[in-house]
Amino acid sequence: MLILRLLLILSAFAIILSGGMYLFTRNRRYLKLAWQIVRFVIFALLIFAVLFVLERYVLIGWNILL
């Protein structure tokens, strides 16, 4: 959970910094970088959610059957 929080804080900081750099320079590569960061964070959160559901329901259910 600590790693997830750290990921969210660092990615929010990177997105804000990238957006600020875009406003300062008007270079579209900073918007592209921000979008790539957003996609990575969404992908990481989906993986975390799948692992959480797997742990919560599948592995606990498997222990009940044994």
Side-chain angles (χ1 to χ4, degrees), residues 18-30:
S18 181
M21 288 300 294
Y22 170 73
L23 291 175
F24 183 69
T25 63
R26 297 290 180 200
N27 193 345
R28 294 199 45 91
R29 70 178 171 155
Y30 294 115

Side-chain angles (χ1 to χ4, degrees), residues 9-44:
I9 290 171
L10 288 176
S11 63
F13 180 68
I15 291 169
I16 291 170
L17 185 63
S18 181
M21 288 300 294
Y22 170 73
L23 291 175
F24 183 69
T25 63
R26 297 290 180 200
N27 193 345
R28 294 199 45 91
R29 70 178 171 155
Y30 294 115
L31 285 181
K32 190 175 183 180
L33 177 64
W35 178 242
Q36 287 177 345
I37 294 170
V38 167
R39 286 191 328 203
F40 171 74
V41 169
I42 290 172
F43 182 70

